[in-house]
Amino acid sequence: MRVEIWSDINCPWCYIGKARFERALERFPHREAVEVVHRSFELDPRAPQEARPVVPLIAAKYGLGLEQAEAAEQRIADNAEAEGLAYLRSGRDAANSFDMHRLLHFAAEHGRQAELLDALYRANFAEERSAFAPGRLAELAVEAGLDGAEAARVLADPDAYAEAVREDEATASAMGATGVPFFVLDRRLGVSGAQPTETFTAALEQAWGSRTVVPLVAVGTDENGGGDGGSDTGSDTGSDTGEVCGPDGCAVPQR
């Protein structure tokens, strides 16, 4: 059985949802028969290359005070830490993630996609030095076990793996994905958002137990609450202002 996961490095709920899914997968009795493939999706393909602090971005974009935006970020940090994930409580930033996605496709060809994804999430959400700092992606590629010179060549060529990223995004759009994270099991069952581990367990069991072709359906889209609003930075403004990026994941802005 194949599980495909569409996500963006800028999305904190993708970071959290990955941990919850992996916990369910660890307990799944057919774990060795499950192939996990990570697919590309940009929350905001128009985001600039230059990194900008998340809290002021959210405050400016949604008309919030800085304290409200900071509180939203702290709520996400609380959720991440509840899953055993490190989370930088101040100073996180965001930028265009297209090069990260290109590099993830390069890593997949060398069997190191999972390692690079973990390195990217850690750098973006848990480390003081920005994941978007000059030269940082090549360093993270080396940390993930990839050849640094080859990774640098990929990053220097804007066309390298660009089509693969676009194909992933087009596939998600064709499936009706309106946000990330988006999990698809055997192209038959869809789970939207950073759902509880129990929801992922149920989805794995359902997909395994009904191995006939059925229409793709969404599972658990209301399990955790949250809204459908989009965010180019992956922050949650909370119920007082309307969800920007809640437990059901981060909605993708219309292109």
Side-chain angles (χ1 to χ4, degrees):
M1 183 167 70
R2 170 180 283 192
V3 179
E4 296 165 278
I5 307 173
W6 274 262
S7 59
D8 188 21
I9 307 304
N10 279 317
C11 170
W13 289 105
C14 295
Y15 179 46
I16 294 168
K18 178 176 179 290
R20 292 174 176 173
F21 169 77
E22 288 177 347
R23 186 170 296 113
L25 189 59
E26 286 173 3
R27 303 170 182 170
F28 188 55
H30 308 289
R31 168 66 185 92
E32 297 305 316
V34 178
E35 175 192 14
V36 178
V37 179
H38 294 278
R39 301 292 188 191
S40 302
F41 216 122
E42 302 161 89
L43 283 176
D44 186 1
R46 297 161 295 184
Q49 296 291 333
E50 182 180 355
R52 299 169 295 168
V54 164
V55 170
L57 273 178
I58 290 296
K61 187 175 180 68
Y62 297 101
L64 306 176
L66 288 175
E67 288 186 1
Q68 288 176 299
E70 179 65 29
E73 183 72 355
Q74 296 308 307
R75 284 193 291 272
I76 293 182
D78 290 342
N79 276 272
E81 290 172 359
E83 300 299 330
L85 299 171
Y87 200 95
L88 187 66
R89 285 185 171 268
S90 63
R92 187 169 72 85
D93 56 21
N96 192 290
S97 60
F98 191 67
D99 284 347
M100 291 179 168
H101 289 297
R102 294 195 300 111
L103 199 61
L104 282 165
H105 278 279
F106 163 71
E109 285 192 353
H110 294 271
R112 308 298 293 179
Q113 186 186 55
E115 290 81 0
L116 179 60
L117 185 61
D118 285 341
L120 290 170
Y121 276 139
R122 183 185 67 251
N124 195 35
F125 293 113
E127 297 181 352
E128 292 285 347
R129 185 183 176 194
S130 174
F132 302 97
R136 185 67 173 130
L137 292 185
E139 292 176 5
L140 292 171
V142 173
E143 289 181 22
L146 294 162
D147 182 271
E150 288 187 36
R153 282 194 290 271
V154 169
L155 292 168
D157 179 2
D159 293 327
Y161 300 95
E163 186 60 30
V165 175
R166 297 304 184 204
E167 287 178 3
D168 278 357
E169 295 177 334
T171 300
S173 180
M175 288 182 175
T178 58
V180 289
F182 184 54
F183 302 76
V184 177
L185 292 76
D186 264 355
R187 294 287 172 106
R188 298 182 292 116
L189 186 71
V191 179
S192 176
Q195 298 300 324
T197 296
E198 294 75 15
T199 300
F200 289 120
T201 297
L204 287 166
E205 292 173 349
Q206 181 179 343
W208 185 266
S210 56
R211 306 290 301 264
T212 58
V213 177
V214 296
L216 182 70
V217 296
V219 171
T221 54
D222 295 323
E223 182 73 20
N224 257 1
D228 296 324
S231 169
D232 58 355
T233 58
S235 285
D236 172 3
T237 62
S239 58
D240 291 341
T241 58
E243 297 278 338
V244 173
C245 181
D248 281 343
C250 302
V252 179
Q254 295 297 314
R255 284 164 170 72

